[in-house]
Amino acid sequence: MSLISCILCMGFANISMGATEAQLQSVLQKYGVPQAKDCGTKNEAHFNGALPECQDEGMYYDKKNRRCDYCEIGYATESKTDTECKPINCPAGYGGTIIKDGLCPAGYGLFHITGGSCPAGTRLVKV
């Protein structure tokens, strides 16, 4: 909160010296200062010391609206600080299954593959 207060104070001080609304918006976007309606929600970004960071994987920081949003189905992020979603493209010969609302289709399980290794009892299958 003290960082936000400092930013706002600097911003208001600069306004009296000729800062524009665009300059103020730029500072608010850079530090991820949320709009009031997003405070305390999953859409609130947190400044990690370098960049605004979303709370959940699969969310991106929308600089224009100063909020985090989930990617559309078929798109993903690589980190919590991404500012856009990228399309999921499976390499030739591989396929993916879209999982909606955290529910896997019948006969499928959800596993997180880390370091290129599948969890015990699972394997990556070429289709």
Side-chain angles (χ1 to χ4, degrees):
M1 291 307 286
S2 60
L3 174 63
I4 293 171
S5 298
C6 181
I7 291 169
L8 292 175
C9 288
M10 289 187 321
F12 289 126
N14 286 338
I15 287 173
S16 65
M17 293 185 266
T20 66
E21 182 179 342
Q23 290 170 322
L24 179 57
Q25 285 296 331
S26 177
V27 170
L28 295 174
Q29 291 168 353
K30 178 179 178 180
Y31 293 100
V33 178
Q35 297 182 44
K37 67 180 181 177
D38 292 325
C39 290
T41 71
K42 288 280 186 186
N43 300 101
E44 179 183 5
H46 294 224
F47 188 71
N48 69 11
L51 296 167
E53 182 174 281
C54 295
Q55 299 175 51
D56 286 346
E57 296 288 340
M59 294 184 93
Y60 70 99
Y61 179 64
D62 177 350
K63 291 195 315 191
K64 180 181 176 193
N65 294 307
R66 300 191 334 257
R67 68 189 321 249
C68 291
D69 282 314
Y70 284 100
C71 295
E72 294 180 32
I73 291 179
Y75 292 81
T77 57
E78 295 176 359
S79 74
K80 292 181 178 182
T81 58
D82 282 350
T83 56
E84 64 182 3
C85 297
K86 297 175 183 156
I88 298 171
N89 294 313
C90 295
Y94 289 84
T97 301
I98 301 292
I99 299 170
K100 298 180 190 174
D101 302 325
L103 303 174
C104 294
Y108 289 85
L110 177 62
F111 298 95
H112 186 72
I113 298 172
T114 56
S117 300
C118 293
T122 62
R123 59 194 173 99
L124 185 60
V125 182
K126 187 172 181 179
V127 292

